[in-house]
Amino acid sequence: MNDPAEHDYRIIASVDEVTSFPATITIDRDPFFLVQTGADADSYRLVSAICPHAGGLVRQHENELICPLHFWAFDPLTGESTNVPGERLDCQPVEVRDGHFTIRTNV
């Protein structure tokens, strides 16, 4: 019998496919960054690459994620804006399960 909890996760990439961070991931045509969030090699987060201000495609520039439309900047590890207080990119935790990066689907 299948464990119902197994269906609460979605595979977003194979661990073997990701060679550096942040990695660009596309889920259902939506762009994201997969980031490693700390010294713990098993700590990851999925960060939206869509700016909450005007929907621009956020790009990596040095140690920040920048929206080229109006230059909103974001911390890639937390999604928090570094120049517009109170704004942030959508984020969610990522787990490694059976050699794959996965996200929860029932959140």
Side-chain angles (χ1 to χ4, degrees), residues 5-18 25-28 32 34 46 92-106:
E6 290 298 318
H7 300 290
D8 292 340
Y9 291 89
R10 177 175 180 178
I11 294 172
I12 59 170
S14 169
V15 170
D16 295 336
E17 295 173 342
V18 179
I25 303 286
T26 302
I27 302 171
D28 298 332
F32 295 88
L34 175 62
L46 191 65
Q92 69 183 92
V94 173
E95 294 181 34
V96 176
R97 297 169 62 88
D98 300 322
H100 294 93
F101 293 107
T102 64
I103 54 173
R104 299 270 321 233
T105 57
N106 63 347

Side-chain angles (χ1 to χ4, degrees), residues 1-7:
M1 181 175 230
N2 288 338
D3 179 4
E6 290 298 318
H7 300 290

Side-chain angles (χ1 to χ4, degrees), residues 66-101:
I66 306 289
C67 179
L69 297 180
H70 299 104
F71 302 104
W72 282 28
F74 303 90
D75 181 319
L77 301 182
T78 66
E80 295 290 327
S81 177
T82 58
N83 64 347
V84 181
E87 294 296 335
R88 64 175 319 197
L89 297 170
D90 288 335
C91 297
Q92 69 183 92
V94 173
E95 294 181 34
V96 176
R97 297 169 62 88
D98 300 322
H100 294 93
F101 293 107

Side-chain angles (χ1 to χ4, degrees), residues 24-63:
T24 302
I25 303 286
T26 302
I27 302 171
D28 298 332
R29 298 185 188 170
D30 293 323
F32 295 88
F33 292 101
L34 175 62
V35 298
Q36 193 170 21
T37 58
D40 179 5
D42 292 329
S43 183
Y44 304 96
R45 182 172 289 134
L46 191 65
V47 180
S48 175
I50 302 295
C51 182
H53 172 234
L57 184 60
V58 175
R59 299 177 183 144
Q60 182 181 358
H61 178 72
E62 297 179 3
N63 294 326

